[in-house]
Amino acid sequence: MSSQCVINVDLAAVYDKPSGPKRKFLTMLAWGDYVEVLEVTDEYVAVKTVVFKEQLDGSILYEDAKGYIAPSPKAKKADGTKLTPTDVVIPRENNQVLKVNFVDVQQGDGIVIESPDGKTILVDGGDNQLFARYLADRYRGTSRAKPKEIDCLLVTHGDADHFTGLVEILKSERNKEAKKKLFIAPKRVFHNGLVKRPEKVNGTKLSAEEQLGSVQKVAGDTIITGLVENLLDVPDEEMNKNFLAWKKALAAWNKRGEIEFRRLSFGDDKAFKFFNDKKRGLEISVLGPILAKRRGTTGLAFLHEPPPGPRLGHDSLNTSEPESKSLSVSHTINGHSIVFRLSYGGINYLFTGDLNDEAGRALVRKSESQAINLRSEVLKVPHHGSADFSSAFLDRVSPIVSVISCGDESSRKEYVHPRATLLGALGKRSRLDESLIFVTELVAFFRAEKMAKLSDPKKAKQRGEFFAFSRAAFGIVKTRTDGKRLLVYTDSGKADLKEAYCYATDENGEQVPTSIIKA
């Protein structure tokens, strides 16, 4: 009789046989992964798994298979004692592992947070189908009658590379291939309240102050007061085409169950009471955007154009106000990203959207005035590794693991991310001598193919043959923690080859490198 369990070691290799020289590797499972256990003996754990087979067209299909996890006689647990098959898995109800995956969506962000009891938060989603494809593979077997419940869709801010990829999830429902379909039912949608207007209204181009809603000028500042709570209430004509497509997707999902819409700003921690768990020490704190309050007017302050860059030696640990007075729509949208800190025991994650230099300095000043701790073990690096960053902010975070979400797509979307100045600053501001810096695109695996042609005959004739690469493995930085240990790993072109690191909390509450537990 099978039982629902989770993997209780860092990495567990699954083979087609328990032992023997001719056994074949099937897949690798990781700490916190769900698994159906068929049998546990003194020698092995038999599990239901899947194997992936490449088709003639290059696509990958999976099929069910039986596999075996057999710990080596030399395998050890964290305390140094022998690792046995009974140590490899535990009942799912005893799961203590928080899972956070940073997915390569090229130029954009796409993050999945899953609590030990299975609550799911999606943070952003890129602007293409990559995030939807990844989610369809992770949450297989959904249907219109049985959608995957998503506890929260959190869009950090209204740039296309952070939310239009979520619309692709709805589009996937009509895909001809079952493996690419994903049906979801979001319960909550959190955002920063800023909605981009069309560039032109009745043929007239909007000014910067008009592009994000109603504003008031108070004490020399321009304050955006037209902040939105329920995106479904915004008239179509007040949205640009990306927001309008997003609204239509939300309306479709809203028919499956009423969605709770919420605009977040600093201090709105109660919004996450559905996720927080005091007994486990699991908590999300909202640190941004920071509302401006001027003479009775409350809203988000318009931010400014930064100096031309990239700059060397810019700002060091300076937390003062920027000198520029020129208003910027793009930097206002980015700087007012939702910033939140996820804490689980002694392990902290800081999610920053596209936080920039000006907003980063403001957050540092806020943290100093209110004694707020920004120090975090895992940092989702702001704005895909842009040069528009605050060294003062990085210094306060002092991460051990930094994840940069970026990737090349086209010359139109080329921003030279990540910047060399940002990588240097991360190396200097990180906590340990050998702190880790990951770039999602760099952990993807691209396989060289034969000479190829475009499928469109006319374009193929114009373009001619070219040397092609295919993306054979998603670029994903995967993290796992129980609040005491932190596992970070990535896949590679070989299913049995992982780049993996682990940290454990010592008696002083500090994280120190420790060995990987393998079965």
Side-chain angles (χ1 to χ4, degrees):
M1 184 176 179
S2 64
S3 59
Q4 301 300 314
C5 296
V6 293
I7 298 297
N8 196 40
V9 294
D10 294 332
L11 297 173
V14 183
Y15 294 88
D16 66 338
K17 298 176 182 179
S19 59
K22 294 185 178 181
R23 69 174 182 169
K24 296 180 180 179
F25 174 85
L26 297 181
T27 189
M28 185 78 77
L29 298 176
W31 190 26
D33 282 350
Y34 298 142
V35 65
E36 185 176 340
V37 174
L38 305 174
E39 180 186 14
V40 180
T41 72
D42 292 339
E43 298 178 356
Y44 61 78
V45 179
V47 300
K48 182 179 179 181
T49 187
V50 295
V51 292
F52 298 90
K53 294 187 176 181
E54 184 173 352
Q55 309 302 299
L56 293 176
D57 64 357
S59 63
I60 305 294
L61 295 179
Y62 60 86
E63 59 184 48
D64 292 336
K66 183 177 181 179
Y68 298 87
I69 303 171
S72 163
K74 296 181 180 180
K76 302 292 184 182
K77 295 189 290 186
D79 61 6
T81 60
K82 183 179 179 180
L83 181 71
T84 67
T86 56
D87 300 315
V88 173
V89 293
I90 60 173
R92 187 176 294 189
E93 59 267 24
N94 295 339
N95 184 31
Q96 299 294 320
V97 180
L98 170 73
K99 295 180 280 190
V100 182
N101 283 8
F102 303 86
V103 183
D104 175 27
V105 293
Q106 296 183 322
Q107 175 58 38
D109 280 3
I111 304 165
V112 184
I113 301 171
E114 192 172 291
S115 68
D117 59 356
K119 292 187 178 70
T120 304
I121 299 176
L122 305 184
V123 182
D124 295 334
D127 68 353
N128 55 44
Q129 62 184 359
L130 284 175
F131 198 51
R133 289 284 179 86
Y134 163 73
L135 294 172
D137 182 64
R138 178 166 175 169
Y139 302 116
R140 301 171 190 150
T142 62
S143 64
R144 192 175 303 277
K146 196 176 180 180
K148 165 64 180 175
E149 187 175 274
I150 303 298
D151 293 276
C152 180
L153 293 178
L154 190 154
V155 175
T156 58
H157 64 293
D159 274 344
D161 60 333
H162 287 258
F163 75 94
T164 55
L166 296 171
V167 178
E168 295 294 327
I169 297 176
L170 184 65
K171 291 181 181 179
S172 77
E173 296 180 3
R174 302 189 300 272
N175 200 297
K176 294 180 181 179
E177 298 183 58
K179 68 174 185 177
K180 297 177 182 178
K181 293 184 177 182
L182 175 64
F183 295 82
I184 67 171
K187 297 176 69 175
R188 301 167 184 84
V189 172
F190 294 166
H191 57 99
N192 69 353
L194 293 176
V195 173
K196 283 186 179 180
R197 269 57 179 176
E199 290 186 4
K200 293 183 178 180
V201 175
N202 297 325
T204 303
K205 187 175 182 179
L206 298 181
S207 66
E209 289 90 339
E210 296 172 314
Q211 291 181 35
L212 297 176
S214 303
V215 300
Q216 290 188 30
K217 294 190 176 182
V218 185
D221 291 327
T222 301
I223 309 296
I224 304 167
T225 56
L227 302 177
V228 173
E229 192 83 33
N230 188 334
L231 295 169
L232 297 181
D233 292 339
V234 181
D236 291 357
E237 62 271 16
E238 294 184 16
M239 292 180 156
N240 69 9
K241 64 178 183 179
N242 289 325
F243 267 94
L244 187 56
W246 177 227
K247 177 185 175 182
K248 291 178 178 178
L250 292 171
W253 287 323
N254 195 57
K255 292 178 181 178
R256 297 175 185 171
E258 187 174 356
I259 296 173
E260 174 193 341
F261 289 92
R262 189 154 184 170
R263 173 178 62 82
L264 297 184
S265 60
F266 181 91
D268 284 336
D269 304 349
K270 290 182 179 179
F272 291 96
K273 63 182 180 181
F274 72 92
F275 186 87
N276 295 343
D277 187 336
K278 291 184 178 181
K279 291 182 179 180
R280 296 179 189 266
L282 185 64
E283 183 178 15
I284 290 178
S285 303
V286 182
L287 303 179
I290 299 171
L291 291 174
K293 298 181 180 180
R294 306 282 191 276
R295 297 178 182 176
T297 298
T298 300
L300 294 174
F302 243 97
L303 303 184
H304 307 85
E305 288 283 357
R311 297 103 67 196
L312 288 173
H314 81 288
D315 103 341
S316 184
L317 297 182
N318 180 17
T319 63
S320 63
E321 296 280 4
E323 296 179 0
S324 172
K325 298 300 181 183
S326 178
L327 300 182
S328 168
V329 174
S330 63
H331 285 81
T332 297
I333 292 169
N334 288 336
H336 289 312
S337 293
I338 293 174
V339 177
F340 65 99
R341 189 170 186 253
L342 168 58
S343 300
Y344 186 27
I347 305 297
N348 303 279
Y349 293 74
L350 191 61
F351 300 86
T352 60
D354 279 0
L355 189 76
N356 52 28
D357 185 7
E358 182 177 354
R361 296 186 196 204
L363 181 52
V364 170
R365 293 194 299 273
K366 185 82 168 179
S367 69
E368 290 175 340
S369 66
Q370 299 194 15
I372 296 167
N373 190 5
L374 295 178
R375 196 171 191 253
S376 300
E377 284 63 46
V378 182
L379 170 66
K380 203 296 294 185
V381 176
H383 203 184
H384 321 295
S386 160
D388 187 21
F389 64 89
S390 165
S391 292
F393 173 76
L394 297 180
D395 188 66
R396 301 308 192 279
V397 179
S398 186
I400 294 174
V401 178
S402 298
V403 182
I404 303 171
S405 183
C406 68
D408 294 325
E409 287 185 62
S410 66
S411 57
R412 184 177 66 84
K413 296 182 179 180
E414 179 56 81
Y415 302 102
V416 197
H417 290 160
R419 292 282 184 166
T421 52
L422 178 279
L423 292 172
L426 274 177
K428 183 176 182 180
R429 308 299 176 197
S430 295
R431 194 178 313 171
L432 304 178
D433 290 340
E434 294 180 322
S435 290
L436 308 178
I437 301 175
F438 290 99
V439 180
T440 55
E441 182 185 32
L442 296 185
V443 299
F445 177 70
F446 295 88
R447 178 176 54 202
E449 303 284 2
K450 297 179 180 179
M451 297 298 289
K453 290 184 177 181
L454 297 173
S455 58
D456 183 296
K458 185 177 180 180
K459 291 182 178 179
K461 185 177 181 179
Q462 293 174 339
R463 175 69 170 85
E465 285 192 330
F466 57 90
F467 190 69
F469 288 83
S470 63
R471 185 191 298 264
F474 271 102
I476 310 176
V477 180
K478 304 175 182 179
T479 72
R480 306 285 188 266
T481 182
D482 61 356
K484 299 175 182 177
R485 298 176 75 251
L486 172 65
L487 170 69
V488 185
Y489 73 101
T490 66
D491 299 323
S492 74
K494 296 181 179 179
D496 60 344
L497 179 62
K498 310 292 182 185
E499 183 179 13
Y501 306 91
C502 194
Y503 300 88
T505 306
D506 66 12
E507 62 275 9
N508 297 317
E510 297 294 332
Q511 281 66 45
V512 295
T514 189
S515 58
I516 301 291
I517 302 173
K518 296 182 180 180

